[in-house]
């Protein structure tokens, strides 16, 4: 299944609701809401950090956590696979290379549609598995 079919779909990870979409052939993502925090909270853990390929070098620590496109620039590698983009952790402002793979619910390993988001620094990385949110989960996360 192609990720474009799930564009503008909410995924939940660690009490954050993310929206993932394709625009101009690139995959992007932003946080739609954060549980238990004001929705206008600034990502001040990244204060003083900036990247030339992210929002024209703006200071990450001045941006709101909710509504900022923290995932950007992933190009399509194949059916449900995207890579060569970036993700910034709004908690600390660190930037990672990013790969995302869509796993269709199969009732076995993947009980629901799942995105595998892999952040990497050099040869090292870590995957997180984001599950597709139901309408109730997405609206209840604030």
């Amino acid at each position: 299944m192609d990720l474009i079919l799930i564009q503008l779909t909410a995924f939940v990870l660690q009490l954050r609701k993310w929206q993932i979409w394709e625009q101009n052939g690139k995959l992007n993502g932003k946080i739609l809401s954060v549980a238990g925090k004001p929705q206008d909270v600034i990502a001040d853990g990244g204060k003083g950090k900036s990247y030339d390929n992210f929002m024209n070098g703006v200071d990450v620590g001045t941006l709101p956590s909710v509504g900022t496109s923290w995932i950007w620039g992933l190009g399509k590698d194949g059916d449900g696979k995207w890579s060569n983009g970036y993700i910034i952790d709004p908690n600390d402002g660190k930037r990672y290379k990013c790969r995302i793979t869509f796993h269709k619910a199969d009732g076995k390993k993947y009980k629901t549609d799942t995105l595998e988001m892999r952040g990497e620094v050099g040869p090292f990385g870590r995957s997180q598995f984001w599950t597709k949110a139901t309408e109730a989960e997405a609206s209840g996360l604030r």
Side-chain angles (χ1 to χ4, degrees):
M1 170 171 252
D2 194 317
L3 276 180
I4 199 165
L5 298 176
I6 57 170
Q7 69 181 2
L8 301 178
T9 301
F11 286 82
V12 175
L13 171 78
Q14 298 175 345
L15 303 179
R16 286 188 185 133
K17 180 173 67 173
W18 286 83
Q19 181 181 50
I20 307 293
W21 73 95
E22 181 192 26
Q23 182 176 8
N24 300 324
K26 299 290 183 179
L27 199 67
N28 303 282
K30 67 181 175 181
I31 297 172
L32 294 178
S33 64
V34 180
K37 291 190 176 182
Q39 299 307 294
D40 61 353
V41 67
I42 300 299
D44 59 4
K47 193 167 184 85
K49 292 189 173 126
S50 63
Y51 304 98
D52 59 355
N53 68 345
F54 179 70
M55 300 182 80
N56 297 314
V58 68
D59 183 339
V60 173
T62 64
L63 300 171
S65 290
V66 174
T68 299
S69 293
W70 298 109
I71 298 172
W72 77 98
L74 282 84
K76 189 170 185 172
D77 284 342
D79 196 27
K81 295 181 185 226
W82 300 78
S83 66
N84 295 315
Y86 296 92
I87 184 169
I88 290 179
D89 182 342
N91 292 323
D92 61 15
K94 291 182 181 175
R95 179 183 65 177
Y96 302 91
K97 289 288 285 182
C98 183
R99 288 189 284 147
I100 291 181
T101 303
F102 174 73
H103 301 284
K104 179 84 175 134
D106 61 8
K108 297 175 187 165
K109 183 173 182 179
Y110 302 103
K111 304 291 185 215
T112 185
D113 290 350
T114 302
L115 289 183
E116 179 181 355
M117 191 290 301
R118 183 161 180 83
E120 301 171 330
V121 175
F124 304 102
R126 180 175 65 122
S127 290
Q128 295 178 341
F129 294 86
W130 301 2
T131 57
K132 185 174 179 181
T134 65
E135 197 68 39
E137 289 169 331
S139 64
L141 185 62
R142 295 227 189 268

